[in-house]
């Protein structure tokens, strides 16, 4: 069974990857035409909200007791799955390490 600290570290690494992809999306938005920028900007807004929610969930996990952290794990996995589609850039550069089941 995975420990709370190990899971927290793994999710923090995923969050860092999401933030890096967010920066790449922002850079891509600067290169797009006006129509493309609007579409990418919507993805950026969605991803920023998702990252913010994930950070809040991670903070809750950090304060969860050992017997209750498993419930937070399920919530974090759900949040990650919802965010995963937003992490894929137009070039399709999502990596296998983005898979929350790994």
């Amino acid at each position: 069974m995975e420990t709370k600290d190990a899971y927290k570290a793994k999710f923090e690494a995923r969050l860092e990857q999401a933030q890096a992809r967010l920066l790449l999306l922002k850079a891509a938005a600067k290169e797009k035409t006006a129509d493309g920028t609007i579409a990418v900007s919507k993805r950026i807004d969605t991803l920023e909200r998702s990252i913010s929610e994930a950070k809040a969930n991670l903070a809750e996990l950090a304060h969860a007791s050992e017997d209750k952290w498993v419930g937070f794990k399920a919530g974090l996995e759900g949040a990650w799955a919802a965010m995963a589609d937003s992490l894929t850039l137009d070039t399709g550069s999502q990596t296998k390490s983005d898979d929350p089941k790994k």
Side-chain angles (χ1 to χ4, degrees):
M1 181 172 165
E2 194 170 27
T3 67
K4 176 182 163 184
D5 290 338
Y7 184 78
K8 183 177 177 278
K10 182 170 75 173
F11 199 84
E12 285 172 340
R14 287 187 199 158
L15 195 52
E16 287 176 18
Q17 291 173 350
Q19 290 172 309
R21 289 216 170 71
L22 176 59
L23 291 175
L24 289 173
L25 277 172
K26 287 180 178 182
K30 290 179 182 179
E31 295 179 16
K32 299 278 184 176
T33 63
D35 291 340
T37 299
I38 292 169
V40 171
S41 293
K42 287 179 183 179
R43 287 178 62 199
I44 288 170
D45 291 343
T46 299
L47 186 53
E48 285 178 328
R49 279 192 305 276
S50 296
I51 287 173
S52 179
E53 290 171 14
K55 284 181 178 181
N57 289 337
L58 191 58
E60 287 182 47
L61 171 72
H63 299 295
S65 63
E66 285 298 319
D67 59 333
K68 293 188 179 182
W69 81 269
V70 176
F72 286 103
K73 179 180 177 180
L76 285 169
E77 290 296 334
W80 183 260
M83 190 183 344
D85 288 339
S86 298
L87 294 175
T88 305
L89 299 172
D90 291 340
T91 59
S93 63
Q94 184 175 8
T95 65
K96 292 183 189 243
S97 64
D98 294 335
D99 185 351
K101 295 177 182 147
K102 291 189 178 191

